[in-house]
């Protein structure tokens, strides 16, 4: 019963000093306002921290994206160069195989292992492009005369 009387007295509806009740209400309202202000400030601080974190993460994301793009470009260049080298290796391997087969055929034809590929003599064909300034008179030296400097 005592608890029922105490709750009734604290509610302010029955008895009690109205000035004391108004003072309690005012203190409670001030306390609630201060608590609400602190809560709003905490929320604002959390929002500000999250906004800064979003900015930092976006910046980091852009840097990582740029790094990935740079690495992809480098990878594509290296892959292209590698493909060229593979093709050149295949071509050189085929040429080496062809040359080795020619050597084998020449050794079989000669029978003695020498490198004379053709058993018959091939006539030499003159090519004017290989010797563009032939000396037709190699045994007649040019002589300077004293009259050459007077002209």
């Amino acid at each position: 019963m005592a608890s029922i009387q105490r709750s009734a007295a604290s509610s302010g509806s029955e008895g009690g000093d109205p000035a004391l009740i108004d003072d309690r209400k005012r203190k409670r309202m001030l306390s609630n306002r201060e608590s609400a202000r602190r809560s709003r400030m905490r929320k604002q601080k959390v929002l500000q921290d999250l906004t800064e974190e979003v900015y930092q993460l976006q910046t980091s994301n852009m840097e990582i994206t740029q790094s990935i793009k740079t690495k992809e470009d480098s990878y594509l260049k290296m892959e292209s160069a590698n493909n060229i080298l593979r093709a050149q290796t295949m071509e050189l391997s085929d040429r080496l195989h062809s040359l080795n087969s020619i050597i084998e055929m020449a050794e079989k034809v000669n029978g003695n292992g020498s490198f004379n590929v053709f058993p018959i003599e091939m006539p030499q064909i003159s090519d004017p492009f290989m010797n563009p300034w032939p000396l037709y008179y190699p045994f007649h030296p040019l002589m300077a005369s004293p009259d050459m400097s007077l002209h």
Side-chain angles (χ1 to χ4, degrees):
M1 279 283 259
S3 65
I4 295 174
Q5 289 175 353
R6 201 178 304 144
S7 66
S10 66
S11 67
S13 60
E14 296 179 15
D17 187 14
L20 183 63
I21 292 173
D22 285 343
D23 191 37
R24 284 184 192 163
K25 278 186 172 180
R26 189 175 49 79
K27 284 182 182 179
R28 174 58 88 193
M29 285 176 47
L30 286 174
S31 175
N32 286 346
R33 284 182 187 153
E34 185 63 28
S35 177
R37 185 183 68 78
R38 287 191 306 262
S39 177
R40 285 191 302 270
M41 288 184 73
R42 280 194 305 267
K43 283 183 180 179
Q44 186 177 5
K45 176 70 172 145
V46 167
L47 181 64
Q48 185 179 4
D49 291 345
L50 289 175
T51 303
E52 288 175 10
E53 186 178 356
V54 165
Y55 176 74
Q56 289 174 352
L57 290 173
Q58 285 175 339
T59 302
S60 176
N61 191 18
M62 286 189 330
E63 289 172 358
I64 291 171
T65 302
Q66 185 64 32
S67 174
I68 288 172
K69 186 178 182 309
T70 302
K71 286 182 178 35
E72 283 177 347
D73 290 344
S74 297
Y75 172 78
L76 290 175
K77 287 178 185 176
M78 292 302 274
E79 187 68 24
S80 175
N82 199 11
N83 287 338
I84 291 170
L85 289 174
R86 281 189 188 124
Q88 288 175 345
T89 301
M90 291 298 294
E91 180 183 346
L92 291 173
S93 177
D94 289 344
R95 288 175 67 187
L96 180 63
H97 180 70
S98 296
L99 291 173
N100 283 337
S101 65
I102 290 171
I103 290 172
E104 284 179 20
M105 288 173 47
E107 287 175 350
K108 286 180 185 176
V109 167
N110 290 334
N112 60 2
S114 67
F115 288 104
N116 186 8
V117 177
F118 300 106
I120 59 172
E121 287 293 319
M122 295 293 288
Q124 196 79 2
I125 300 173
S126 63
D127 187 4
F129 294 111
M130 295 301 289
N131 193 5
W133 296 292
L135 296 176
Y136 294 110
Y137 305 105
F139 299 112
H140 295 111
L142 294 175
M143 300 285 280
S145 67
D147 295 336
M148 288 179 70
S149 61
L150 295 177
H151 294 305

